[in-house]
């Protein structure tokens, strides 16, 4: 408690952010107040703008500031390749890698019997629509290599069966990875998928 | 990079907060966008309000939303006791403990030969003013138990010499502290300051 209502209120809200607790929220707020011109005012404006405009893309589920996100509305990204990811964070990771030039489809999670997440809780019906209506030539499944991720991949493969070329990310040794520290699953996956040099 | 300028901008600013890096800033921003009504909008309003109103108290150096902070302007806190702290964070910590009912004076740091911080870089002249002009009966030095903190305490004691009762926080074993894990300095301080049971 900072002895001031407005500041306490800000600290409480900051403390709700993932990765921040009450203590780090207090530090962050003090830092903001000290760096008013440099950080506090710009952050206030920026967060206000995002609060007013941020929304989910109606087409792919990415977050943006318009009904159709910048990727979906960029003509040059209509390559016919559609990259399916679980989550917006995964889409951002793909974008950072800069390797993919097509469009995305964000499922919004994975099928999960435990959490009772079925195809209709996810954006799977919409995915099938898109494959039928847009000129999609290849669907790339970039789901996490978890049990739920694999289940979801199988289900989608089942639904799309044959309508379109279906690929998934290669599994193997990560760049810079040391065999000694890799789990057996990764090593055997890399072994099975070995390539001629 | 999130494929959207406004959102990228917000992520960049959030990443400048202490305790947040690029990765956790991305997580925080996604979390905010998902919890729009619950978190994003309230946070935007709150941070806007603080950005417009936050300032240093002209009297004690605490941060608040008015020229004279709530503590300095609260009549019932004119107990004649003045608690001297290094930093606003220390003032907040004292307030959380709820043990002190008087007013504060925030130095804004400690004397430091290395960093060339002299009395005039701190709020020490202002402290002496206050002792002379306000009806101060006791000055409590609540400075950190560091070399610079002790130096500063000595300097202030020197300046105020005799004008007012001067006390400092007790040193000893922290509540719940295990001797085995305490440094020798703390143990000998606690030993020297031992009390009859």
């Amino acid at each position: 408690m900072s002895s001031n209502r407005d500041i306490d209120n800000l600290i409480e809200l900051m403390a709700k952010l993932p990765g921040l607790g009450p203590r780090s929220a207090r530090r962050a707020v003090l830092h903001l107040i000290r760096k008013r011109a440099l950080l506090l005012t710009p952050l206030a404006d920026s967060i206000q703008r995002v609060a007013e405009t941020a929304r989910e893309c109606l087409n792919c589920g990415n977050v943006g500031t318009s009904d159709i996100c910048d990727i979906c509305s960029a003509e040059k990204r209509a390559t016919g390749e559609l990259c399916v990811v679980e989550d917006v964070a995964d889409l951002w990771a793909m974008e950072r890698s800069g390797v993919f030039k097509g469009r995305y489809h964000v499922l919004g999670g994975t099928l999960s019997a435990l959490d009772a997440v079925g195809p209709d809780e996810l954006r799977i019906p919409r995915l099938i629509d898109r494959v039928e209506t847009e000129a999609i030539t290849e669907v790339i499944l970039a789901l996490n290599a978890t049990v739920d991720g694999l289940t979801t991949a199988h289900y989608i493969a089942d639904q799309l069966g044959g309508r379109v070329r279906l690929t998934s990310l290669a599994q193997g040794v990560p760049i810079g990875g040391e065999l000694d520290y890799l789990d057996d699953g990764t090593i055997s996956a890399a072994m099975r998928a070995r390539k001629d040099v």
Side-chain angles (χ1 to χ4, degrees), chain A residues 99-116:
Chain A
V99 71
F100 181 66
K101 300 282 171 249
R103 286 177 177 162
Y104 294 92
H105 190 75
V106 181
L107 293 178
T110 50
L111 296 173
S112 165
L114 279 175
D115 311 336

Side-chain angles (χ1 to χ4, degrees), chain A residues 56-75:
Chain A
E56 265 188 0
C57 172
L58 299 175
N59 191 39
C60 72
N62 183 16
V63 294
T65 51
S66 49
D67 286 339
I68 300 300
C69 74
D70 305 14
I71 295 179
C72 286
S73 44
E75 252 325 305

Side-chain angles (χ1 to χ4, degrees), chain A residues 8-69:
Chain A
D8 285 340
N9 180 264
L10 178 55
I11 292 174
E12 263 170 44
L13 288 166
M14 294 286 283
K16 289 182 185 164
L17 292 177
L20 284 180
R23 181 180 202 81
S24 39
R26 284 195 299 270
R27 273 183 61 220
V29 169
L30 260 184
H31 184 76
L32 279 172
I33 293 173
R34 291 205 184 101
K35 298 222 183 290
R36 185 206 216 89
L38 213 68
L39 195 51
L40 179 52
T41 319
L43 182 61
D45 300 342
S46 166
I47 208 167
Q48 192 74 52
R49 193 156 51 250
V50 171
E52 283 159 5
T53 59
R55 71 202 67 182
E56 265 188 0
C57 172
L58 299 175
N59 191 39
C60 72
N62 183 16
V63 294
T65 51
S66 49
D67 286 339
I68 300 300
C69 74

Side-chain angles (χ1 to χ4, degrees), chain A residues 93 97 110 131 136 171 186:
Chain A
S97 80
T110 50
V131 170
I136 305 295
Q171 293 195 311
T186 304

